Amino acid sequence: MIPNLTTETKTHQMPAFSKIVTKIFLPILFLISSFSFAQKNEAKLKEIEALSDLSYKSYTELKNEESLEYAKKGNKIALEIGDSKAIARTYNQIARAYTNMGKQKEALENIDKAMAEKFTKTDPIFVAKLILLKANNHSMLGLYEVANKEYFEALDLLKNETKPAAIREKISIYSLISYDFFNKGDFQSSLKYENLKIKLLKTFPEEEVASRISEMYDMKGSIFLETKKLDSAYHYLTKGYELKKKYNDPVMYTQYYSLGDYHNQTGDAKKALEFYLKSVENYDSLQVEDPAIVKVYKDISDIYAKMGNKEKENFYLKKYSEANSEVQQSKAENTNEAVKMIVKEKDEKFNAFQSKSFLTIGGIVLGVAALIFGLFFWYKKTSKKTEEIISQKEEENHDLLQKVNESFDDIVQLAKTNSPEFFTRFQEVYPEYIEKLKEIYPEISIDDLRFCSLLKLNFSTKDRKSTRLNSSHMSSSY
């Protein structure tokens, strides 16, 4: 039968082709798909970055709803590609927008989500940023003691950091600490932190931190206003106002409000009213919720009361009452949620500590048990070895004693038979005895030495007499 060469050739070629596919084409396909995936991710990350920039721009202009929408879009893409850094940062942007909108519950929830990301655990500056944002929300809810602890916790994280991002966070922390002291009436401490802040602000170009510098001037002016240093107050409040105008900053309501307070305190009600109304107008044009601004309605109402304008007095008093009620209600709801979150966080920390403690105690118990077992094993081993040494020594002593007894019997026998070898053998067995006698009695004779030898062997008087009969013979042998 003629073999089918075509079939045989195909059979041999197929495995070879499979190997080529496995070794060459599959890795190439894998590299191509990986490259394609990386390019797709890179494009997505660029899209997230662009949305983040837009969110930040809207945030600086206090267009918070707009800022929130951009941040949410970025967060959605970040979650799709699973990039932990992008996820954490977009959660932070969402929380930042909610903070300015006065939605503390939502802000704190997103801060916690950002905190839970893997990336966050690797970046102390970002952790400090999140802690600071959390503290800001707690402060807005009136949880000042909680916020104060968080300020210093964030500050401690940044104590060895010198990057510009870290310095910016320190500036924010000093601002909030200063504001906290101001609200407590500790104006000296507030001023101290404003002075610390200005040192850091000077490390940046003015145009980059103009808003922060203006904020610092405004706070200094408010401190001097409270301490009745009116010239200094006006100097700093004006500087802050002019710096905002220089850079066309759209957020002016705090500067208007502060200047209104200055003129109100100096007795110029007309000028004060002008600035208060500008403050309200600017505030209403922004997408922001600032509980501190509510009081301006009461200040406007009071000025209209002095002017005798009952209608406008009642109008602004009603606005104050409604705004204040809304703030208090929102504050109560958000505070309740914030407290729940704080309790939950403390419980989680306690549980983690408890688990760690159990592991530590368990480790110590196991360690002690291992040590006891080791000591017991060592003791048993040492005891066995000691017993072996004692047994060996006892055998050696027994052998030695037996040899001594045998030598003793041998010498006694030699003495009884008046053997000339007696004294030689005695000296071999008891060399120290003879040497000691010679040392004490250098002139001692051989006969006396022999006599002393018999005493050493416990010979009776009768035995000594019988052995001494041949003493002269014995002496001649030595």
Side-chain angles (χ1 to χ4, degrees):
M1 182 178 176
I2 300 170
N4 189 335
L5 295 176
T6 307
T7 307
E8 189 179 340
T9 305
K10 283 182 180 179
T11 306
H12 286 295
Q13 283 177 342
M14 287 304 289
F17 180 73
S18 297
K19 286 180 181 177
I20 290 168
V21 170
T22 305
K23 289 184 177 180
I24 298 172
F25 290 109
L26 286 180
I28 290 170
L29 285 170
F30 176 75
L31 287 170
I32 291 168
S33 62
S34 297
F35 180 71
S36 175
F37 180 75
Q39 277 191 320
K40 188 178 178 182
N41 265 15
E42 191 176 343
K44 292 283 186 184
L45 287 170
K46 283 182 179 178
E47 188 178 352
I48 293 167
E49 190 176 345
L51 288 165
S52 295
D53 290 342
L54 289 169
S55 177
Y56 182 73
K57 184 175 181 296
S58 299
Y59 162 74
T60 57
E61 294 170 357
L62 290 185
K63 296 176 181 176
N64 292 300
E65 289 177 10
E66 196 174 277
S67 177
L68 180 63
E69 285 308 307
Y70 286 129
K72 281 184 174 181
K73 285 178 182 177
N75 180 253
K76 186 180 178 182
I77 299 168
L79 288 167
E80 284 172 5
I81 64 172
D83 189 286
S84 182
K85 182 177 179 180
I87 293 168
R89 290 194 179 281
T90 50
Y91 276 137
N92 173 59
Q93 291 158 17
I94 291 168
R96 184 180 63 194
Y98 276 133
T99 300
N100 273 10
M101 293 166 72
K103 296 185 177 182
Q104 274 65 53
K105 176 179 175 289
E106 291 84 354
L108 291 166
E109 284 172 350
N110 281 277
I111 291 168
D112 280 353
K113 286 178 182 178
M115 279 287 195
E117 283 299 315
K118 287 181 182 178
F119 162 75
T120 305
K121 296 172 177 63
T122 66
D123 191 335
I125 297 174
F126 187 64
V127 173
K129 183 191 284 287
L130 291 172
I131 292 171
L132 185 57
L133 188 58
K134 185 187 283 190
N136 194 11
N137 278 277
H138 287 151
S139 178
M140 289 171 76
L141 292 170
L143 301 170
Y144 301 119
E145 292 305 315
V146 175
N148 192 264
K149 286 179 182 178
E150 288 166 338
Y151 297 149
F152 287 98
E153 183 185 348
L155 200 58
D156 188 58
L157 278 172
L158 300 172
K159 63 183 176 184
N160 297 321
E161 298 288 344
T162 55
K163 294 176 184 175
I167 294 172
R168 287 178 185 276
E169 293 307 320
K170 286 181 185 178
I171 290 168
S172 296
I173 294 168
Y174 289 152
S175 291
L176 291 167
I177 293 173
S178 170
Y179 187 70
D180 185 55
F181 278 122
F182 181 86
N183 285 335
K184 291 175 180 175
D186 187 348
F187 304 119
Q188 196 63 37
S189 295
S190 182
L191 192 60
K192 171 191 167 183
Y193 280 95
E194 289 302 323
N195 289 332
L196 287 171
K197 185 167 70 174
I198 192 62
K199 287 179 183 178
L200 298 181
L201 286 166
K202 285 179 178 178
T203 63
F204 295 95
E206 185 186 79
E207 61 272 16
E208 286 186 21
V209 290
S211 179
R212 294 292 187 92
I213 296 171
S214 177
E215 174 195 286
M216 181 272 300
Y217 287 145
D218 191 68
M219 180 56 82
K220 277 193 169 185
S222 297
I223 290 167
F224 289 125
L225 195 60
E226 289 291 332
T227 53
K228 308 301 179 185
K229 295 176 181 177
L230 300 179
D231 289 342
S232 296
Y234 185 72
H235 168 75
Y236 283 109
L237 292 175
T238 305
K239 283 188 78 171
Y241 172 78
E242 288 172 352
L243 191 61
K244 283 261 186 175
K245 284 288 186 183
K246 178 182 176 181
Y247 290 98
N248 298 314
D249 194 323
V251 184
M252 294 290 294
Y253 72 91
T254 53
Q255 280 67 38
Y256 289 139
Y257 194 176
S258 297
L259 282 167
D261 281 343
Y262 169 79
H263 289 295
N264 199 12
Q265 194 163 320
T266 55
D268 191 343
K270 188 178 178 182
K271 200 76 174 171
L273 183 61
E274 181 188 334
F275 279 109
Y276 284 151
L277 290 171
K278 282 184 178 181
S279 178
V280 170
E281 184 184 359
N282 182 249
Y283 177 76
D284 288 342
S285 70
L286 303 168
Q287 297 172 9
V288 65
E289 292 292 330
D290 187 351
I293 199 68
V294 172
K295 188 178 174 292
V296 76
Y297 297 126
K298 180 71 168 62
D299 294 327
I300 294 171
S301 176
D302 289 343
I303 290 174
Y304 277 125
K306 289 176 184 177
M307 291 179 173
N309 192 331
K310 201 71 177 172
E311 183 183 347
K312 288 191 175 181
E313 176 196 349
N314 291 332
F315 173 78
Y316 281 100
L317 187 61
K318 186 181 178 184
K319 284 201 76 169
Y320 167 72
S321 179
E322 288 172 352
N324 191 50
S325 295
E326 191 178 322
V327 166
Q328 294 306 319
Q329 186 179 349
S330 174
K331 190 174 179 180
E333 290 170 1
N334 285 314
T335 302
N336 187 41
E337 290 299 322
V339 169
K340 283 181 183 177
M341 292 175 80
I342 292 167
V343 170
K344 183 184 174 184
E345 186 180 339
K346 286 184 179 293
D347 286 344
E348 285 172 356
K349 284 182 179 179
F350 176 75
N351 290 334
F353 172 75
Q354 205 171 33
S355 298
K356 191 176 179 181
S357 298
F358 283 145
L359 287 172
T360 304
I361 292 166
I364 292 168
V365 170
L366 287 173
V368 170
L371 180 64
I372 291 169
F373 178 78
L375 288 170
F376 178 74
F377 180 76
W378 174 82
Y379 173 75
K380 290 291 287 181
K381 189 176 179 181
T382 306
S383 297
K384 189 176 180 182
K385 194 172 181 180
T386 304
E387 287 173 5
E388 288 173 359
I389 293 168
I390 292 169
S391 178
Q392 186 181 345
K393 290 293 180 185
E394 285 177 349
E395 286 179 12
E396 288 175 1
N397 289 339
H398 180 267
D399 292 344
L400 185 62
L401 186 62
Q402 192 173 358
K403 286 178 182 179
V404 169
N405 289 337
E406 287 173 1
S407 298
F408 182 81
D409 293 341
D410 183 42
I411 294 167
V412 169
Q413 191 59 37
L414 290 172
K416 284 182 178 179
T417 58
N418 291 319
S419 171
E421 297 176 8
F422 161 70
F423 195 62
T424 302
R425 182 70 177 132
F426 183 89
Q427 287 183 95
E428 289 173 356
V429 176
Y430 302 107
E432 298 88 354
Y433 181 73
I434 297 300
E435 289 300 321
K436 196 71 177 174
L437 285 171
K438 286 180 178 180
E439 187 182 326
I440 297 169
Y441 306 106
E443 304 300 325
I444 192 169
S445 65
I446 294 296
D447 283 343
D448 290 336
L449 284 172
R450 186 174 182 279
F451 178 74
C452 289
S453 300
L454 294 173
L455 288 174
K456 174 71 174 171
L457 298 172
N458 296 321
F459 269 49
S460 63
T461 304
K462 182 182 176 182
D463 290 335
R464 286 198 302 273
K465 283 181 180 180
S466 74
T467 56
R468 284 180 67 84
L469 292 174
N470 287 326
S471 61
S472 59
H473 172 72
M474 297 296 291
S475 297
S476 64
S477 301
Y478 302 99

